[in-house]
Amino acid sequence: MKRILIALVVIILIASMSLVGCKKAGVTSETPTVFTMANNIDCMWSWDPSDAFGEELPILFELYETLTRYHPLEDELEPVLATDWSVSPDGLTWTFTLREGVKFHCGHDFDSSDVKRSIERTMERGMGAAFIWLAVNSIETPDEKTVVFNLDYPVPIDLTVASAYGAFMYCMDCVEEKGEDYLSAGNELGTGPYKLQQWKRGDQVLLEKFGDYWRGWDGNHFEKVLLKVVPESGTARQMLEAGQVDYVRLLPFEDIEALKQNAAFTVTATPGFQNVYILINTQREPTNDPRVRQALAYSVPYDQIIENVMYGYATQSVGPIPKGMWGHDDTLPQYTYDLETARQLLTDAGYPDGGFSLMMTVASGDENHRKVAELWKAELTKLGIDLDIRTMPFDAQWDLAKSSNLDERQDLYILYYWPDVCSPQCYLEGCFITQTDPIIFNLCYYSDPQVDEWIIEAWETAGRDREAATAIYRQIQEKLIEDSPAIFLYDMQNVRVMNSSIRNFTDNPAYPYVLFIYDLYREEG
Ligand SMILES: [Zn+2]
């Protein structure tokens, strides 16, 4: 359900901020028919779409397609490999009609048996985001262009098939012929606009246009896509300024502010679905007392953090579901920075002068989170609470949070979160439903039977009646804000910096960092 690993990424990027760059107006691309992007890491941790669950999306979404695509800000589903779909009145049977004339890169035709077999393979392997298919009991293929999903309980499968993770369609004839490991060895079997030409691990990924792509190649499109691995953000910025790359995936906010002043670059900032929680250990004193957790929520200098750490590219969260997503509700109560109220709550809980210490883990190199922790520590000191900030490698932080020795675990965990199936469910089930074995993202160890029941009820209702589901999501959020198992810190914006010759880019927050390069074109001047 999320990518933890962005932590590492943000880290690396922020680690390197010294840059000498000469600004040139009207930077011209060196290779006009190639869209070139700089990425701080080789994001292709997995090439197998059945298990990829990390930062692979910017490449996978050029190679592969899903049945539908979700546009969350408009709450609309766009037909992609499916052209039509319908659901039975009980919400248990979904029927999809597939697009005619779609070919895989290998030359095979795309049909209903590929849908059935690729989803079944993903489910059977049970890796990555395979859990998105949990409600599916069986998949039938009455003919080559019709797929029927029979569900155990009603869920919105039209959204599931649009998932950023675990929902790509791939050629199963080739998987069966070439073997289970064919994909993970660095091959692809998609229907997308571009196919893989070359992958040099740790260096670059090169894609070329797929001549038989079903949308065709009329109009303006890029012939090739090149992803270069550029670990050092100063170097990436220089390449952008020299016209050697069109886009840099991650840049420090200081650089973005500087590039914004230059007409050679376009900077877009749109609401994103990535938010940040500080998860509070609800299983241990003193934070097992909701009044202590509420006091913590009142002690955070939200405005200062957003201004000084995020350069304004974030807003204080209202509840756990980010702004712009259905289920988000701007009228929910919000904690504010209010030390008097915090002190009163601590007094009520028996800690009038604080007098305790809390351990917060922060991933090494994550400058943003380190700054958040430092700013908060200064406020907690005023309440007599010591914030013990432990910086450690991301893996160590993650392992500690799941340690079988409960006494070892942290008191506070700062977590980036973003969706797979673009829905409020992903946030609530991911972080706040009871989880013991395994713990996924519920690193507050929160457990409330009523909340568990509502979370399941909400998703089962969502398949039939979105409005009724929204009402349940509100109920859950009210309870979570009251119980305060987490501080809902901020919702981040997606900030993109591109060469200004690139046209037609719109950010879709359901697909983090995906550019949909087929839609883009270059126009100089
Ligand atoms: Zn094939």
Side-chain angles (χ1 to χ4, degrees):
M1 252 171 196
K2 259 25 8 286
R3 212 49 319 131
I4 8 194
L5 301 143
I6 190 133
L8 299 176
V9 167
V10 173
I11 293 62
I12 298 165
L13 87 244
I14 297 180
S16 51
M17 288 204 247
S18 63
L19 10 108
V20 207
C22 52
K23 283 181 205 156
K24 282 193 279 176
V27 174
T28 311
S29 171
E30 289 178 350
T31 45
T33 60
V34 182
F35 183 88
T36 308
M37 45 188 166
N39 216 42
N40 58 319
I41 49 164
D42 184 340
C43 58
M44 296 314 294
W45 300 332
S46 172
W47 280 94
D48 189 331
S50 71
D51 62 39
F53 201 29
E55 312 241 345
E56 305 90 348
L57 298 185
I59 292 296
L60 291 183
F61 266 95
E62 306 304 333
L63 300 171
Y64 291 96
E65 293 176 303
T66 47
L67 295 184
T68 62
R69 186 177 299 165
Y70 186 47
H71 296 274
L73 302 180
E74 299 81 27
D75 193 15
E76 277 170 11
L77 279 162
E78 175 191 342
V80 184
L81 292 177
T83 52
D84 275 299
W85 51 94
S86 60
V87 60
S88 62
D90 63 4
L92 290 172
T93 308
W94 287 79
T95 305
F96 287 75
T97 305
L98 305 182
R99 187 174 296 283
E100 301 279 346
V102 175
K103 279 199 180 302
F104 287 107
H105 300 163
C106 54
H108 287 121
D109 289 324
F110 164 75
D111 64 34
S112 58
S113 94
D114 293 297
V115 176
K116 175 180 165 69
R117 288 182 296 161
S118 55
I119 294 174
E120 284 177 352
R121 176 172 175 270
T122 298
M123 291 167 73
E124 276 158 25
R125 297 191 73 223
M127 298 166 78
F131 56 81
I132 65 173
W133 303 110
L134 277 178
V136 175
N137 178 290
S138 63
I139 303 174
E140 290 169 46
T141 54
D143 64 55
E144 284 194 344
K145 292 295 162 197
T146 308
V147 178
V148 179
F149 292 87
N150 298 307
L151 308 184
D152 284 329
Y153 46 94
V155 299
I157 283 288
D158 53 345
L159 268 182
T160 306
V161 299
S163 173
Y165 293 100
F168 291 118
M169 295 297 130
Y170 44 93
C171 179
M172 279 303 293
D173 288 346
C174 281
V175 170
E176 282 164 13
E177 183 195 315
K178 294 171 192 289
E180 272 295 310
D181 299 333
Y182 177 71
L183 291 168
S184 57
N187 299 296
E188 55 93 3
L189 292 165
T191 62
Y194 295 94
K195 56 184 187 176
L196 179 63
Q197 187 178 333
Q198 184 197 52
W199 174 47
K200 285 197 212 161
R201 191 193 294 270
D203 181 27
Q204 66 172 46
V205 183
L206 180 62
L207 314 182
E208 60 183 336
K209 81 172 192 187
F210 171 47
D212 288 333
Y213 183 50
W214 60 269
R215 286 185 217 253
W217 290 96
D218 291 346
N220 263 336
H221 302 280
F222 285 100
E223 303 273 316
K224 295 194 180 207
V225 174
L226 175 61
L227 179 145
K228 288 188 184 178
V229 180
V230 183
E232 218 268 334
S233 73
T235 308
R237 174 172 163 177
Q238 285 170 5
M239 292 171 80
L240 184 71
E241 292 181 320
Q244 293 164 338
V245 298
D246 294 304
Y247 164 78
V248 180
R249 197 181 78 114
L250 288 169
L251 278 175
F253 289 123
E254 288 91 327
D255 286 2
I256 292 170
E257 287 304 288
L259 292 165
K260 227 162 108 176
Q261 311 305 320
N262 188 332
F265 308 103
T266 310
V267 176
T268 56
T270 46
F273 289 161
Q274 195 174 339
N275 57 9
V276 173
Y277 302 150
I278 300 175
L279 299 164
I280 306 173
N281 192 328
T282 57
Q283 297 294 326
R284 189 160 72 201
E285 287 185 354
T287 46
N288 58 349
D289 185 329
R291 292 168 298 187
V292 173
R293 301 197 296 266
Q294 290 161 355
L296 294 177
Y298 276 117
S299 69
V300 175
Y302 298 96
D303 294 346
Q304 201 189 353
I305 286 171
I306 284 161
E307 199 174 312
N308 297 343
V309 181
M310 296 303 292
Y311 285 72
Y313 290 114
T315 48
Q316 186 189 339
S317 301
V318 183
I321 299 169
K323 196 176 180 66
M325 178 170 293
W326 68 276
H328 173 86
D329 189 334
D330 258 337
T331 67
L332 285 164
Q334 199 179 29
Y335 289 93
T336 52
Y337 170 62
D338 179 353
L339 290 189
E340 278 322 299
T341 305
R343 197 168 279 125
Q344 186 57 54
L345 283 158
L346 287 172
T347 304
D348 295 348
Y351 303 95
D353 304 310
F356 55 85
S357 180
L358 297 174
M359 193 256 278
M360 177 171 179
T361 57
V362 175
S364 320
D366 192 329
E367 262 320 274
N368 284 353
H369 285 181
R370 192 194 56 76
K371 285 186 203 166
V372 167
E374 294 290 347
L375 289 173
W376 191 25
K377 181 183 173 81
E379 302 306 321
L380 288 171
T381 303
K382 298 174 191 168
L383 296 170
I385 300 170
D386 170 52
L387 186 65
D388 170 16
I389 303 167
R390 303 259 185 102
T391 304
M392 57 181 75
F394 175 77
D395 289 354
Q397 182 192 22
W398 191 242
D399 290 346
L400 185 71
K402 301 186 176 201
S403 169
S404 54
N405 179 353
L406 305 195
D407 294 334
E408 267 184 10
R409 293 178 181 176
Q410 77 292 330
D411 298 299
L412 302 159
Y413 191 107
I414 184 161
L415 178 80
Y416 291 99
Y417 208 74
W418 68 85
D420 35 69
V421 177
C422 195
S423 67
Q425 188 70 9
C426 171
Y427 293 78
L428 301 180
E429 191 168 342
C431 295
F432 303 106
I433 205 165
T434 301
Q435 294 166 10
T436 45
D437 192 21
I439 298 171
I440 309 172
F441 294 100
N442 183 346
L443 305 179
C444 44
Y445 322 114
Y446 181 69
S447 179
D448 182 298
Q450 176 68 79
V451 169
D452 291 352
E453 200 178 297
W454 283 340
I455 290 175
I456 291 161
E457 187 191 342
W459 192 232
E460 294 188 4
T461 307
R464 288 161 295 158
D465 184 346
R466 178 73 69 83
E467 217 172 297
T470 302
I472 304 169
Y473 283 126
R474 183 182 164 95
Q475 224 174 335
I476 299 166
Q477 292 183 88
E478 278 174 338
K479 173 82 170 135
L480 289 174
I481 291 166
E482 172 74 24
D483 275 2
S484 199
I487 293 166
F488 306 118
L489 196 57
Y490 50 73
D491 299 351
M492 296 166 67
Q493 290 181 19
N494 290 334
V495 186
R496 313 284 183 229
V497 182
M498 283 191 200
N499 185 303
S500 56
S501 68
I502 305 296
R503 302 296 155 86
N504 206 33
F505 171 68
T506 339
D507 214 316
N508 182 332
Y511 306 99
Y513 300 110
V514 177
L515 300 178
F516 298 109
I517 293 163
Y518 176 84
D519 296 334
L520 308 183
Y521 62 95
R522 189 187 305 282
E523 195 171 74
E524 303 285 357

